[in-house]
Amino acid sequence: MNDRQLENKIGQDVAKISKDVNTLAGDSAARFGRFENDVSQATGKAKVDLTTWVDENISQMSKEFEKLTGDARDTVFNAAATAKKDVGHGLSQYNAKVQELADKAPGGFSDKAAKYPWVALSITVVIGFLLGMLIRPARQAYR
């Protein structure tokens, strides 16, 4: 091969390499564009999926909280009703026993207690203090 043929061959090879590099650059740009679109779509889908998941879980948690609140409210109402009933029953028994004792007291004590309830309450408080002092052990001073 002479110099001229070598130069032509080199020129043809350079043109072919240049064409191949341009084709490669175009393909790379196209692939990068498709990759960018794919990433954008995947990001959008992930965002929608995450938003949907969060909304569903918040809704479910809200329903569970409402159910828990309702159950707690029902339990408190039932306990309050039971306590009210028990206290009413206990007070009825107490009032019946006190009335029975007052009826047995000499000198028409029950009639006088009905007329003057503050006197009966004062006497009851004094009796309570006396019983408290008798029942409670003596306090000792600590030094």
Side-chain angles (χ1 to χ4, degrees), residues 105-126:
F109 179 74
S110 64
D111 294 333
K112 290 179 184 173
K115 278 186 181 178
Y116 308 107
W118 60 87
V119 175
L121 288 174
S122 300
I123 291 171
T124 305
V125 168
V126 170

Side-chain angles (χ1 to χ4, degrees), residues 13-81:
D13 288 345
V14 167
K16 185 177 180 185
I17 289 174
S18 177
K19 182 181 173 186
D20 290 344
V21 167
N22 286 336
T23 304
L24 183 61
D27 289 347
S28 296
R31 283 188 181 188
F32 184 73
R34 283 195 303 258
F35 175 74
E36 184 179 14
N37 288 338
D38 290 346
V39 168
S40 178
Q41 288 175 357
T43 303
K45 185 173 181 345
K47 184 178 177 182
V48 168
D49 290 347
L50 181 63
T51 303
T52 303
W53 179 76
V54 167
D55 287 345
E56 288 173 356
N57 283 333
I58 287 173
S59 174
Q60 182 66 26
M61 196 165 70
S62 176
K63 287 177 186 176
E64 292 293 326
F65 183 72
E66 288 175 8
K67 180 182 174 189
L68 180 65
T69 303
D71 291 348
R73 186 180 320 126
D74 292 344
T75 302
V76 168
F77 285 145
N78 290 339

Side-chain angles (χ1 to χ4, degrees), residues 113-143:
K115 278 186 181 178
Y116 308 107
W118 60 87
V119 175
L121 288 174
S122 300
I123 291 171
T124 305
V125 168
V126 170
I127 290 172
F129 281 136
L130 289 173
L131 283 174
M133 287 190 304
L134 289 174
I135 293 173
R136 185 177 7 177
R139 292 188 180 179
Q140 296 178 358
Y142 293 101
R143 295 185 186 207

Side-chain angles (χ1 to χ4, degrees), residues 69-113:
T69 303
D71 291 348
R73 186 180 320 126
D74 292 344
T75 302
V76 168
F77 285 145
N78 290 339
T82 303
K84 183 178 178 182
K85 186 173 116 180
D86 290 347
V87 167
H89 181 67
L91 286 176
S92 296
Q93 286 180 338
Y94 174 77
N95 287 339
K97 287 183 182 183
V98 168
Q99 186 64 43
E100 184 181 316
L101 287 174
D103 289 341
K104 288 182 183 178
F109 179 74
S110 64
D111 294 333
K112 290 179 184 173

